[in-house]
Amino acid sequence: MTNVPRHWPITDDLSALRDRVGSYASGAGLSTQRAQDLELAVSEAAANVLEHGGGHGTLSIWADELDLTVEIADTAGRLAPHHAYPQPPSTQAPRGFGLWLMGQVCDEISIDQQPGGSRLRLRMALTPAPNG
Amino acid sequence: MTAVVELRKLPVPSTGGLLTPTVLAVRGDLDHTNATQLRQHVFAQLPDHRHHLVLDMTALGFCDSSGIRVLLTVHTWMNERAGLLVLVGVPPRLARVFELTCLDRLFTIRPTLAHALRESPAP
């Protein structure tokens, strides 16, 4: 069963993490392009954990009838709800590129900030609305 | 295994012009863990005078925002020297990111290396 929740540590092996997420997403019924979109979003989120989120974290992934959800938990807790959906980055100072890209390719992103760490959620609908 | 990205210099027949380009082929997956390394390898291949650089992306499997930042840095560096960065063989996956970020309008993109070399840049 591919739809049982899985949990993987976030390490500097982003390549393996992308592969795992891509396989899970395809198994859950996401199209190839949307699975690749999710791989990109996950890679950006995990890179943020390595760079700004305390260097350690856990990725959890699960699916129900409607959605595939990925949760990236870090140990630094610097990521706050208002960081979701930033302004488009400029080519001169392309910081915040990662979070902006996540917002472009995922159906929804949300951030929950607690003293012990932040949790970023990426949601992909398994049956996207037409033209959606 | 962390992501591996390689850079290979391709031989270019001299065009007889002043600006025979440097051609570099990128292979592998480009992400946060190796973008700095790739940037250093690219710049190590660039002469400090005006010239053109063609990056062949055909064998690039993955590219995240760190990789895009490397491309932007190289693009700016070339522009400042009145040179030109040309991207060829952009895979569909990367083309989609370029489209989302509107970078398809900033970068000079040609379908293949042959296309890029056929155009003789203004001296």
Side-chain angles (χ1 to χ4, degrees), chain A residues 12-15 18 33 36-37 39-40 43-44 47 50-51 91 94-95 97-98 100-101 104-105, chain B residues 1-3 29-33 62-66 68-69 72 76 93 96-97 100-101 103 106:
Chain A
D12 65 357
D13 195 348
L14 299 179
S15 189
R18 287 192 294 271
Q33 178 176 301
Q36 290 182 348
D37 284 350
E39 282 184 41
L40 175 64
S43 198
E44 299 290 347
L50 297 177
E51 196 171 1
T91 54
R95 281 282 155 196
F97 217 148
W100 181 82
L101 267 179
Q104 294 297 301
V105 297
Chain B
M1 275 294 288
T2 52
D29 293 342
L30 179 54
D31 68 22
H32 170 76
T33 62
F62 177 83
C63 181
D64 73 351
S65 65
S66 318
I68 302 273
R69 277 199 288 269
L72 283 170
T76 304
R93 211 172 159 164
R96 174 163 164 77
V97 179
L100 286 172
T101 51
L103 289 173
L106 180 78

Side-chain angles (χ1 to χ4, degrees), chain B residues 75-122:
Chain B
H75 170 83
T76 304
W77 195 89
M78 299 299 292
N79 270 4
E80 286 168 356
R81 284 155 186 79
L84 183 66
L85 168 67
V86 183
L87 305 178
V88 303
V90 175
R93 211 172 159 164
L94 183 56
R96 174 163 164 77
V97 179
F98 283 170
E99 207 176 303
L100 286 172
T101 51
C102 297
L103 289 173
D104 50 348
R105 285 184 251 157
L106 180 78
F107 291 133
T108 302
I109 300 172
R110 297 290 177 265
T112 66
L113 183 55
H115 282 92
L117 295 178
R118 202 177 303 145
E119 295 174 16
S120 91

